[in-house]
Amino acid sequence: MTALGLPAHVRACLFDLDGVLTKTAVVHAAAWKEMFDAFLARRDGPAFRPFDPVADYDEYVDGKPRADGVRSFLASRQIVLPEGTDDDPPDADTVQGLGNRKNLLVLARIRKEGVEAYPGSVRYARAARDAGLRRAVVSSSANCRDVLIAAGIEEFFEVRIDGIVAKERGLPGKPHPDTFLAAAKELGVAPGEAAVFEDALAGMEAGRAGDFGFVVGVDRVGQAEALRRHGADTVVDDLADLLEDAT
């Protein structure tokens, strides 16, 4: 293993954003809960079963493109809604409308609470840059660039494949590996020469499906075994642990 805790053949690092680089996964989970609980309460009345911001978030929405997350959770409750269109108003009971409502909620929370990067992730990204490894951010978020700028870490990454880029190129989101594969291609490395850093189960599956050289699971919520089952080669609580393990 190298000083970065990676196999020697790894030449590039592909980082997820929310929950790996920035402390925004909890913000997203809270926004999903607020949106889904309001929808379910309207639909089912006071006896509705709330959205679980841990179990439902991890299983159905974490790491996925927004509309895929909406569809996945609704399917778990046997709810079918019209697809709608991208410009549906946020009060529309459509897949796109619910997704737009969630996006407004998360942006409001980010504006109010700000964005903070994990210090260990900043250390690791800087170490990867200093070691000459190529670096990309791969996120399903359409707000990726704004979050990177707000967190003060945009400078560490050469390539960004986010929700906007994926839509423009017609790339399916995680758990499909296509966005990670696109990032590796732009960095000029083969998948087997790239390490994937993810905290979402869907991200683990994408890393495994793309035959990447190493898949690092970042366990922020106590799901280490689930990360391993879904494809992680190693699991750490924080990216700085990889630096310490290598010393």
Side-chain angles (χ1 to χ4, degrees), residues 50-98:
F51 177 86
D52 188 312
V54 176
D56 287 332
Y57 179 74
D58 290 345
E59 183 69 23
Y60 303 116
V61 304
D62 189 18
K64 298 179 181 178
R66 195 184 311 142
D68 289 351
V70 174
R71 293 187 203 97
S72 181
F73 174 72
L74 292 179
S76 77
R77 299 291 181 93
Q78 292 78 51
I79 299 172
V80 177
L81 291 181
E83 180 68 19
T85 61
D86 288 351
D87 57 358
D88 274 5
D91 58 352
D93 284 344
T94 62
V95 169
Q96 298 296 334
L98 293 184

Side-chain angles (χ1 to χ4, degrees), residues 14 51 88 121 140 169 210 223 236:
L14 313 179
F51 177 86
D88 274 5
S121 297
S140 61
R169 299 186 187 179
Q223 58 174 356
V236 294

Side-chain angles (χ1 to χ4, degrees), residues 21-230:
L21 297 174
T22 59
K23 299 181 181 181
T24 40
V26 291
V27 178
H28 282 278
W32 280 112
K33 178 172 176 58
E34 183 176 351
M35 182 276 289
F36 275 131
D37 282 359
F39 165 74
L40 293 169
R42 291 197 309 273
R43 182 179 185 275
D44 301 332
F48 78 97
R49 178 158 59 99
F51 177 86
D52 188 312
V54 176
D56 287 332
Y57 179 74
D58 290 345
E59 183 69 23
Y60 303 116
V61 304
D62 189 18
K64 298 179 181 178
R66 195 184 311 142
D68 289 351
V70 174
R71 293 187 203 97
S72 181
F73 174 72
L74 292 179
S76 77
R77 299 291 181 93
Q78 292 78 51
I79 299 172
V80 177
L81 291 181
E83 180 68 19
T85 61
D86 288 351
D87 57 358
D88 274 5
D91 58 352
D93 284 344
T94 62
V95 169
Q96 298 296 334
L98 293 184
N100 290 340
R101 175 61 179 163
K102 180 265 174 182
N103 194 47
L104 289 178
L105 292 171
V106 81
L107 289 175
R109 288 175 180 270
I110 287 173
R111 283 194 295 268
K112 180 180 179 181
E113 301 167 17
V115 177
E116 184 179 356
Y118 287 100
S121 297
V122 176
R123 282 180 56 201
Y124 194 88
R126 182 179 291 112
R129 181 188 64 184
D130 293 347
L133 295 184
R134 309 300 303 274
R135 303 159 318 279
V137 174
V138 181
S139 172
S140 61
S141 174
N143 307 310
C144 180
R145 184 170 184 268
D146 291 337
V147 171
L148 289 172
I149 293 171
I153 58 174
E154 187 187 26
E155 64 180 291
F156 292 115
F157 307 102
E158 305 163 87
V159 166
R160 185 186 76 254
I161 303 293
D162 59 13
I164 295 173
V165 173
K167 183 176 180 180
E168 289 173 348
R169 299 186 187 179
L171 301 174
K174 307 165 193 176
H176 300 283
D178 300 63
T179 50
F180 282 116
L181 292 171
K185 183 176 181 180
E186 288 205 18
L187 290 175
V189 301
E193 298 174 306
V196 167
F197 299 79
E198 264 282 0
D199 70 317
L201 302 182
M204 295 295 95
E205 294 176 14
R208 180 170 56 188
D211 292 325
F212 290 95
F214 201 61
V215 180
V216 178
V218 183
D219 181 22
R220 305 289 190 191
V221 295
Q223 58 174 356
E225 287 308 312
L227 290 169
R228 290 189 181 93
R229 286 197 307 271
H230 285 258

